[in-house]
Amino acid sequence: METKNTLLSVENLKKYFYTGKGVLHAVDDVSFDINKGETLGLVGESGCGKSTVGRALIRLHEPTSGNVTLEGQNILDYKTKTDMRKMRQEMQIVFQDPYSSLNSRMNTFDLIADPLVVNKLAKTNKEKEEKVYRMMETVGLESRLAGSFPHELDGGRRQRIGIARALILEPKFIVMDEPVSALDVSIQAQILNLMDDLQKEFSLTYLFISHDLSVVRHISDRIAVMYLGKIVEIADYIDIFEKPKHPYTKALLSAIPIPKYGLERKRIFLEGDVPSPIDPKPGCRFAGRCSECMDICKTETPELKDEGKGHQVACHLYK
Ligand code: SF4
């Protein structure tokens, strides 16, 4: 529910891809809000549509329908180059694989300066230099690395460049698309801590996308769980971990230890095949794998409903 604290509001977002075999419902009627300064974690298995949500929000994939409102402005109404440039400054993305997302022919300085140049945000070379070196310091990149190329740097430093490129435009909102999954575990913690520090320093709002619930737990205030193009549960991160409601969330969680006590949960092994996201049939998309499936689940698609204190779940077990 949108409040005066809401920064980003997503309503009935759909992204369909038209293939030779039918219509792929990658994102199918997804709605959520993110408050100012909040991190919403978005989790789900590979191919569930979570990265497509992130890209559709900032119009790297043009949504099929829906509304995406940033501080009251529906960014899907933006048509002109000036509007789109304004949107790109306010909403940024950090990609999973910094190596493939960085131009290998540009050095660190030019990679970080590039968004300033494209958006004409530095009037002089001196101003550009000052901004780039200040940003390098902010993200923990030594100034001696200004002339280094991506292939000369480790994964952590390359991801720091990715973060610096996003931050240098002073955005309000950043999509973090699996930002640590390509990194070694020791470096993952450093980058997560950096993102946390930057969020506090610059009052940033994040959508943090990951397939890994234990990574999401470290950074998120609330967590949304996605399954085959739909959000099936959203709640405070403590509620997701301690009082999950949706059978799919319970199965995901059963694979990781209970955070508070470091205990193992009873593992739930999902059986059945993941249905095709092409021209999906009505009913719950999890029905074929759910041990609690009822007749209604096969014909009626469950709506995401608030079960109290903002804990939303889409499942016929809850009425
Ligand atoms: Fe299982 Fe039915 Fe709930 Fe879907 S709606 S998760 S099939 S109980």
Side-chain angles (χ1 to χ4, degrees), residues 272-289:
D273 295 329
V274 180
S276 167
I278 294 177
D279 298 325
K281 296 187 183 71
C284 174
R285 296 197 182 163
F286 191 56
R289 303 171 82 191

Side-chain angles (χ1 to χ4, degrees), residues 118-135:
V118 170
N119 290 283
K120 301 186 176 71
L121 290 177
K123 291 190 185 75
T124 62
N125 278 341
K126 186 164 178 284
E127 186 186 350
K128 180 171 81 177
E129 238 174 69
E130 279 172 6
K131 285 188 171 181
V132 171
Y133 280 109
R134 204 181 315 135
M135 185 49 65

Side-chain angles (χ1 to χ4, degrees), residues 77-92:
D77 288 341
Y78 289 176
K79 299 274 187 295
T80 66
K81 270 191 185 164
T82 313
D83 282 344
M84 290 300 282
R85 192 174 288 160
K86 178 171 169 266
M87 187 202 78
R88 294 265 180 262
Q89 282 177 37
E90 292 178 334
M91 303 171 83
Q92 279 289 308

